[in-house]
Amino acid sequence: MLQSQELRSYLQESPHNFAVLTDYAWIEIYKQQTVEAIKHGLSVVGDFPDQLILLRANGEIIQLDPTVPDLCERMQFKGIADDIREMAAIFRSATVDDAAILKQLHGHWNFANGLLPELIEGAVEIAASLPEMEEQMFTKSEIRIIRTSRRYPAAMMETIYGAAVQIWETLAQGYRLPWQDLGDSRVARTYLFRYALGLVIHLLWWISSGSQPIKRMDRMSNDMIDLSFCVYASYFDGFMTADEKARWIHANLVAALEAISHMDAAA
């Protein structure tokens, strides 16, 4: 979608329309290890540097205190328009032969590829946990509800939310985050809770698709990257993707977060 006419039209439509790019977007570009990949990756957003928002690295965003105002603002790098403008100009040239630039690119490539084993390892663990989560969380009748796309009863919604909270608590402990005793609305602002809720929604997709064993770990790792995109997008106004599963997970994640905010307001 970075190279799509849809994105170009969106940015051309209004100077108040912005494209938000995450660290995983750059990883996807750089891991191809070609100058052409970067040229293509910048082919649209490079023409609109003042309408581009870059988010901080995943690890930094995870550590942001959800009790402090302006969370979305704190997620962003500031003053990057000139850097993007300069980078796009470099890659529009016929050749990229500056030794310093190539050295920098190889550093980015190595960084992106260095993350791949970690992503695949995490995907293996999640793939292995799906059958156990299905068995522990849902009865056979509830699984039929998921597979027939019927409305979930309140008890199922509570199960889904409870599972997300448990995953969030485990992740928060792993990252040694200091905030544990927060109300629902504040917990729901944290990246890790939204990621945990997204994992449970991914489980629902997997069950609805027949609970098939996952054999391609590269595809599973891509699913986890897509899940991160869904989580980031939940902080902003929309998600531009051609992937049906990612669209479904994002839509349900946003709906679940809205339901949580309404519950907290009612309480």
Side-chain angles (χ1 to χ4, degrees):
M1 298 302 289
L2 272 175
Q3 303 167 43
S4 69
Q5 181 58 41
E6 182 179 353
L7 177 59
R8 182 175 292 280
S9 298
Y10 168 76
L11 294 173
Q12 285 175 331
E13 185 178 295
S14 168
H16 302 294
N17 287 348
F18 292 86
V20 181
L21 267 64
T22 75
D23 54 353
Y24 285 110
W26 296 112
I27 289 170
E28 288 289 281
I29 293 171
Y30 285 130
K31 77 179 185 182
Q32 299 176 65
Q33 300 198 42
T34 68
V35 170
E36 284 301 312
I38 301 175
K39 283 185 178 181
H40 291 311
L42 291 170
S43 61
V44 175
V45 295
D47 291 340
F48 304 89
D50 296 306
Q51 293 171 246
L52 187 61
I53 293 173
L54 297 187
L55 297 187
R56 295 185 179 278
N58 179 271
E60 293 181 49
I61 291 175
I62 286 172
Q63 298 290 335
L64 293 177
D65 187 343
T67 65
V68 177
D70 301 320
L71 179 61
C72 286
E73 290 290 320
R74 289 182 289 122
M75 292 169 67
Q76 303 171 26
F77 283 116
K78 297 299 182 181
I80 51 84
D82 288 340
D83 292 338
I84 296 298
R85 191 178 287 109
E86 180 181 356
M87 186 184 299
I90 290 171
F91 284 99
R92 282 195 195 96
S93 62
T95 59
V96 180
D97 54 7
D98 185 288
I101 293 173
L102 289 175
K103 182 178 180 181
Q104 183 180 15
L105 291 181
H106 281 291
H108 290 315
W109 289 332
N110 291 335
F111 171 75
N113 283 305
L115 291 177
L116 294 180
E118 181 180 336
L119 288 171
I120 292 177
E121 181 181 346
V124 170
E125 293 176 0
I126 293 169
S129 70
L130 292 178
E132 183 180 352
M133 290 176 67
E134 176 185 9
E135 183 177 357
Q136 291 180 353
M137 288 176 59
F138 302 113
T139 64
K140 290 183 178 178
S141 62
E142 289 173 334
I143 290 171
R144 283 195 295 273
I145 290 173
I146 296 170
R147 289 182 177 160
T148 54
S149 301
R150 284 184 282 160
R151 186 179 179 85
Y152 297 174
M156 282 183 67
M157 299 300 292
E158 290 176 6
T159 298
I160 291 167
Y161 177 72
V165 169
Q166 287 186 336
I167 296 171
W168 139 255
E169 290 175 347
T170 300
L171 294 173
Q173 289 171 6
Y175 281 93
R176 300 180 181 178
L177 300 184
W179 44 85
Q180 295 291 325
D181 301 319
L182 298 174
D184 290 344
S185 62
R186 285 185 169 180
V187 167
R189 296 181 68 206
T190 67
Y191 176 90
L192 283 182
F193 175 80
R194 294 188 181 202
Y195 189 82
L197 184 56
L199 282 174
V200 179
I201 293 171
H202 180 275
L203 169 69
L204 297 175
W205 172 277
W206 179 75
I207 294 172
S208 70
S209 302
S211 307
Q212 296 299 313
I214 296 171
K215 299 177 181 178
R216 291 283 303 275
M217 286 305 118
D218 56 337
R219 290 182 180 174
M220 185 66 183
S221 64
N222 283 336
D223 281 352
M224 294 303 99
I225 291 174
D226 286 346
L227 175 58
S228 294
F229 287 138
C230 294
V231 174
Y232 286 126
S234 71
Y235 289 98
F236 298 93
D237 295 328
F239 184 30
M240 191 174 288
T241 177
D243 187 285
E244 179 187 356
K245 183 191 298 184
R247 284 200 304 269
W248 188 89
I249 290 174
H250 172 257
N252 283 274
L253 175 59
V254 169
L257 291 169
E258 288 177 352
I260 291 169
S261 73
H262 291 325
M263 283 172 24
D264 202 55

